[in-house]
Amino acid sequence: MMSSAVISGFVLGALAPWLTRRLGAYVHWLLALLPAALFAYFAQFLPTIAAGNTVRVASEWVPGLDVTLSFYLDGLSLIFALLITGIGTFIVLYTGGYLHGHHHLGRFFLYLLSFMGSMLGLVLADNVITLFVFWELTSITSFLLIGFNHTEAKSRRAAMQALVVTGGGGLALLAGLLIMAAVTGTTELSEILGSPEVLTSSALYVPMTILVLLGAFSKSAQFPLHFWLPNAMEAPTPVSAYLHSSTMVKAGVYLLARLSPGLGGTELWFYALVVFGAVTMLVGGILAMRQSDLKLVLAYTTVAGLGILTMLIGLGGDYAFKAMALFLITHAFYKGGLFMVAGAIDHGTGTRDATRLGGLARPMPATFAAAVLLGLSMAGIIPFVGFIAKEVMYEATLHVGATGVVLVTVAAVFGNAFNVVAAGIVGLRPFLSSHKSTPHHPHEAPVSMLVGPVLLAALGLFCGVAFPLTAEFVAAPVMASLNGLPVGDQAAELYLWHGIKPPLILSLATLALGALGFVFWPQMRAGIAAILRAIGWGPDHGYDQTITGLERLAYAVTRVQQTGYLRHYLMATFLVAAAFILGTLIWVGGLPTDFRSPTLLLPEVIALALLIGGAIVATIVFSRVAAVAAVSVVGYAVALLFLIFSAPDLAFTQFMVETLTVVILVLVLMRVPLEVSALRTRAGRLRDGLIAIAVGTAVSLVLLTTTQGPLDLRLSEFFIENSVPVAHGHNIVNVILVDFRALDTLGEIFVVTVAGLSCFGLLRLTLSRRKAARASIQPAQRTDSGDMPGGEA
């Protein structure tokens, strides 16, 4: 059933374009039933997981490589699955209103539902290969979503940038996961994480951890790889709301949390996550203050939020993991809702610029109510769950060791203060400031666009007021996943009020700083903009420089390698082959020691004489036809040797190949000039002769070395013993080709087929050009007799 739940998103996505054409404007109400049903399906596991149980299902996928289609449900994966499906329901509904009448609406639903299925597979996967497959599927589907407006250059650049950054990180992640599997001897995550001492004591712990961090940091936009995420705002608002609330950008955070029981608890893990998380939090918060576009303000605060989550995972311990669980859900609620609010404002007014918005509370009352509630949760005001998350976060920072408590706590206060300012910019300023004229007359969004923000705001309030339920069904199960301990051992108690203590004082300081920042936001924005202009360079510009440098390098390498002359490619191939063969023989001391001349019979002497003579003639002659004839003599001499040494099938094949080669080459030479001036120079012939001598020497030395050693018959005996019982064939050569080397042979056939098709395409292109050239000649240019000017027919 769990596998079907994951795959269902792809199936319905494939049907979405057809359903959209059939149902038109109402299709989103039907499509939203799937994520809603999946939410109900996963919600039924809440009591089971809260009681300390886990669920695992597995089926064979690629048994030969130990790859299973296995899914694992515990506190962490369940919360993510509920967020993905629950918020996914609102996003599908919201899309129907936001993209109403769009001619590619069906295609958008295809991408969106496929993305949902990819994220579900990612957070539920228990096998590292399965996890990586879904990890990359999220990159591909998000590329399609971000580049949905593909006619706009900014959208194409943002989509490509996201794919390059996250795809590059994915390659690093794959290497890290494979090392983990090799160290522990299993590819199942639940088994890998069950033996953390094997991972942390391994000599490969440092490289595997760095590779995993590269993958996670690129996906979750940690500094300095944060630049792709704000640029992804070129995507339609439903995409932004989904990516930022519960899905792709949190995939890296999910991975860090999932691997924390195995890789965590070391200095490398602690400092990497805490330092990068804290820096990302501050950088994201500062850059958010620079923006006036509502989506960009929210995007940069998402960067800051991802930094907070990373920092909390790195801190470790009960308080930090509890704060991570609470901040995870509160961030999903308010960020998903506020993005939808920003889209509703854009839909109702025609702009998202906070400096051009004001007085929207009266014409957009429902949006205003949702925005206020969501903003209060983002700012961390009691009794929202955002307040509890902030209090627990400060408790976690105060429990850091004495050397870092001040730095981490101050960073957290400023990071949360930026969130307060952003909440005011998005949740209050467009509605309560003085009225401003907008491109469109302000009007309320349709119901489908309001359902999500209103319910997410209500959830933020409910999870705060009903904090015992939040502790039992959210905090404790997630803490158990991160600690790698039973649910019953978690200290997951939550409180709305536990007296005037340091966390409350820090919360009040945060609100005071945030209020001050909101009041002086225009001045702060101008100051940050001036500083950034003075710096003049950033990671986004560095990305462009890197891509430009890679393109120039590729162009230079291509110019050196692809000269367009076949003789250059052959020279490079033979030189490299000779150098590596000779170098290897010298390096390993494998040069032959016995150079005694064997006793030759007359037929063997004749064949060798023909072979050597043909090779010499092919090197020194001027005529191409003579060179072809000389090379054919070499081929026939080799065939004669096969025949002498009892290999008639090889001899027959060689005769056939040589005959066909000569015929084809002669046919080709009939179409090319044969003048002496077109042939090689004396220096060229000398060069080719030296290369031929080098290759011949290398191959001869290998043959001498091979024949002087003991003959290893294990491979021959294997094929003799297994050809009939395994492959049911008595011709061993045929069996090797079509059974034991089946994929290799298939690949060769595929290459030959592609080459043939390419030749066919080139010939058709040449014929088309000739026809076009003939057609372009005007009848007036032809002579009365129909001949071409200049006497050409």
Side-chain angles (χ1 to χ4, degrees):
M1 183 63 186
M2 205 174 295
S3 302
S4 302
V6 173
I7 297 171
S8 61
F10 298 98
V11 175
L12 186 61
L15 297 174
W18 179 78
L19 290 172
T20 303
R21 287 195 296 273
R22 295 289 180 184
L23 300 178
Y26 302 102
V27 67
H28 54 289
W29 295 103
L30 175 65
L31 295 178
L33 292 177
L34 175 66
L38 292 176
F39 178 83
Y41 167 71
F42 286 110
Q44 68 172 329
F45 290 103
L46 275 171
T48 303
I49 301 301
N53 301 310
T54 58
V55 180
R56 185 178 184 276
V57 294
S59 56
E60 286 190 348
W61 188 7
V62 190
L65 298 177
D66 194 23
V67 179
T68 58
L69 197 63
S70 55
F71 299 108
Y72 183 73
L73 200 62
D74 64 350
L76 183 65
S77 54
L78 178 59
I79 292 302
F80 267 93
L82 290 173
L83 291 176
I84 291 165
T85 54
I87 296 180
T89 304
F90 301 140
I91 295 297
V92 171
L93 292 176
Y94 187 85
T95 300
Y98 189 83
L99 295 179
H100 177 74
H102 197 288
H103 58 289
H104 287 150
L105 181 60
R107 182 187 301 175
F108 187 86
F109 280 127
L110 164 63
Y111 299 159
L112 191 68
L113 292 170
S114 300
F115 180 72
M116 183 190 73
S118 304
M119 276 303 303
L120 267 182
L122 169 61
V123 301
L124 296 174
D126 192 34
N127 185 281
V128 294
I129 303 301
T130 305
L131 183 146
F132 177 74
V133 169
F134 284 106
W135 178 280
E136 288 303 294
L137 280 176
T138 62
S139 296
I140 294 170
T141 49
S142 63
F143 166 78
L144 296 172
L145 286 170
I146 296 170
F148 180 69
N149 297 321
H150 58 276
T151 57
E152 299 178 8
K154 286 186 176 179
S155 295
R156 295 197 299 273
R157 178 183 182 271
M160 185 59 70
Q161 188 181 65
L163 185 64
V164 168
V165 175
T166 59
L171 293 177
L173 173 65
L174 175 62
L177 292 176
L178 292 178
I179 294 175
M180 290 176 63
V183 169
T184 56
T186 175
T187 57
E188 298 300 308
L189 271 174
S190 52
E191 297 176 7
I192 291 174
L193 302 178
S195 52
E197 66 283 350
V198 176
L199 292 172
T200 53
S201 62
S202 168
L204 297 173
Y205 173 75
V206 172
M208 87 170 74
T209 303
I210 292 175
L211 290 169
V212 168
L213 293 181
L214 280 174
F217 283 3
S218 66
K219 200 79 163 182
S220 283
Q222 297 298 297
F223 180 84
L225 302 174
H226 64 282
F227 52 87
W228 71 265
L229 195 150
N231 291 338
M233 292 302 98
E234 295 298 329
T237 297
V239 178
S240 306
Y242 205 22
L243 261 64
H244 286 243
S245 58
S246 58
T247 52
M248 179 183 172
V249 299
K250 287 196 175 74
V253 170
Y254 165 79
L255 185 71
L256 295 174
R258 171 59 69 204
L259 299 182
S260 180
L263 298 177
T266 64
E267 289 190 353
L268 172 62
W269 186 263
F270 175 84
Y271 285 111
L273 268 65
V274 172
V275 171
F276 278 96
V279 172
T280 303
M281 174 179 64
L282 294 176
V283 169
I286 293 170
L287 293 178
M289 301 300 101
R290 162 73 178 82
Q291 311 300 325
S292 62
D293 184 303
L294 296 179
K295 282 180 66 175
L296 283 177
V297 171
L298 293 172
Y300 278 107
T301 54
T302 296
V303 173
L306 296 171
I308 291 174
L309 289 168
T310 301
M311 183 183 74
L312 291 173
I313 296 171
L315 288 176
D318 286 346
Y319 288 115
F321 290 156
K322 191 194 313 182
M324 184 269 172
L326 296 174
F327 190 77
L328 176 69
I329 62 166
T330 189
H331 183 267
F333 292 160
Y334 71 68
K335 193 50 67 75
L338 285 176
F339 263 111
M340 290 189 240
V341 166
I345 293 174
D346 189 18
H347 180 272
T349 65
T351 181
R352 298 194 307 257
D353 192 336
T355 60
R356 299 176 59 191
L357 294 168
L360 298 180
R362 185 181 297 274
M364 304 178 71
T367 306
F368 171 56
V372 169
L373 294 176
L374 292 164
L376 291 175
S377 184
M378 183 177 183
I381 305 295
I382 193 170
F384 289 88
V385 67
F387 169 77
I388 303 176
K390 190 172 57 177
E391 293 271 299
V392 179
M393 186 191 308
Y394 287 141
E395 283 191 81
T397 61
L398 292 173
H399 282 79
V400 178
T403 55
V405 61
V406 175
L407 290 175
V408 176
T409 303
V410 170
V413 169
F414 276 94
N416 284 318
F418 290 134
N419 269 347
V420 175
V421 180
I425 295 171
V426 180
L428 296 179
R429 185 184 173 92
F431 302 95
L432 298 182
S433 61
S434 59
H435 176 76
K436 293 182 176 65
S437 62
T438 54
H440 300 161
H441 179 70
H443 60 276
E444 190 59 277
V447 174
S448 59
M449 294 178 64
L450 294 174
V451 173
V454 170
L455 289 183
L456 288 174
L459 278 172
L461 180 61
F462 173 79
C463 289
V465 174
F467 58 87
L469 294 177
T470 306
E472 179 181 359
F473 292 104
V474 177
V478 174
M479 291 171 65
S481 299
L482 271 68
N483 275 322
L485 298 172
V487 174
D489 294 349
Q490 312 305 315
E493 296 82 7
L494 298 177
Y495 302 96
L496 267 179
W497 176 260
H498 48 73
I500 302 176
K501 294 183 178 179
L504 180 62
I505 296 173
L506 291 172
S507 289
L508 294 176
T510 301
L511 291 175
L513 277 174
L516 196 64
F518 179 65
V519 171
F520 292 100
W521 175 59
Q523 293 83 353
M524 182 166 59
R525 177 166 167 262
I528 294 173
I531 294 172
L532 293 177
R533 279 196 301 272
I535 296 174
W537 187 90
D540 192 28
H541 187 48
Y543 167 82
D544 289 334
Q545 292 173 323
T546 303
I547 295 298
T548 302
L550 287 174
E551 288 176 347
R552 290 177 177 170
L553 177 63
Y555 180 70
V557 171
T558 303
R559 286 191 62 185
V560 172
Q561 289 185 334
Q562 304 296 326
T563 61
Y565 293 100
L566 180 61
R567 58 179 178 272
H568 292 170
Y569 305 147
L570 293 176
M571 281 169 44
T573 302
F574 286 126
L575 279 174
V576 170
F580 273 90
I581 292 173
L582 290 172
T584 304
L585 288 175
I586 296 172
W587 179 265
V588 302
L591 290 172
T593 56
D594 188 357
F595 290 95
R596 287 178 297 175
S597 175
T599 303
L600 298 177
L601 301 176
L602 181 59
E604 297 170 0
V605 173
I606 294 173
L608 285 176
L610 288 173
L611 194 152
I612 296 172
I616 293 174
V617 172
T619 307
I620 63 176
V621 295
F622 288 89
S623 168
R624 285 194 174 99
V625 176
V628 169
V631 171
S632 67
V633 169
V634 175
Y636 286 122
V638 173
L640 189 58
L641 286 175
F642 286 148
L643 196 61
I644 293 171
F645 288 98
S646 305
D649 51 345
L650 286 179
F652 177 74
T653 304
Q654 182 72 20
F655 280 127
M656 293 294 292
V657 169
E658 285 303 323
T659 304
L660 284 173
T661 303
V662 170
V663 171
I664 292 171
L665 285 176
V666 170
L667 289 175
V668 171
L669 290 176
M670 291 173 65
R671 311 289 295 179
V672 299
L674 299 176
E675 292 80 7
V676 175
S677 58
L679 296 177
R680 297 167 296 172
T681 62
R682 186 180 300 276
R685 295 200 304 276
L686 178 61
R687 175 202 60 204
D688 295 344
L690 292 175
I691 293 174
I693 291 172
V695 175
T697 303
V699 174
S700 300
L701 291 176
V702 168
L703 289 175
L704 285 172
T705 303
T706 305
T707 55
Q708 288 177 9
L711 186 60
D712 189 349
L713 296 175
R714 286 178 296 173
L715 197 57
S716 303
E717 293 170 351
F718 170 82
F719 287 123
I720 292 172
E721 294 173 359
N722 292 281
S723 290
V724 174
V726 175
H728 306 289
H730 294 276
N731 188 320
I732 295 177
V733 176
N734 290 346
V735 167
I736 292 174
L737 288 175
V738 301
D739 288 285
F740 293 109
R741 284 182 50 202
L743 285 178
D744 191 12
T745 305
L746 179 65
E748 292 172 353
I749 295 172
F750 182 74
V751 169
V752 172
T753 305
V754 170
L757 292 174
S758 302
C759 293
F760 178 71
L762 289 172
L763 289 172
R764 288 197 61 183
L765 181 64
T766 304
L767 291 174
S768 300
R769 286 179 176 173
R770 288 182 177 177
K771 288 180 180 178
R774 291 196 190 100
S776 65
I777 299 173
Q778 299 299 322
Q781 294 177 273
R782 298 177 182 272
T783 63
D784 293 339
S785 62
D787 292 337
M788 300 294 292
E792 293 180 357

